[in-house]
Amino acid sequence: MDPVPAQDPESVAGCDVRGALARQRAQARAIRDLTKVIDCNIEIHRHPHAKREGR
């Protein structure tokens, strides 16, 4: 199982899924729904993208 990200994972340019999750996370944070914030962070973290070279 993946650990919970310590910091908010960032969106990837051009990824609609991560962009939508980042917007949902911002809305959840605005209403102090920290459970939803964590859920969004996990989904962003787990969303597949090819690894960049050198990472």
Side-chain angles (χ1 to χ4, degrees), residues 14-46:
C15 180
D16 293 338
V17 172
R18 283 191 174 197
L21 286 166
R23 287 189 295 279
Q24 289 177 27
R25 178 181 61 199
Q27 291 170 344
R29 185 169 278 127
I31 61 170
R32 297 178 186 253
D33 183 350
L34 298 182
T35 300
K36 180 70 174 178
V37 170
I38 291 169
D39 289 346
C40 289
N41 280 344
I42 290 170
E43 289 300 317
I44 292 169
H45 177 73
R46 289 183 177 168

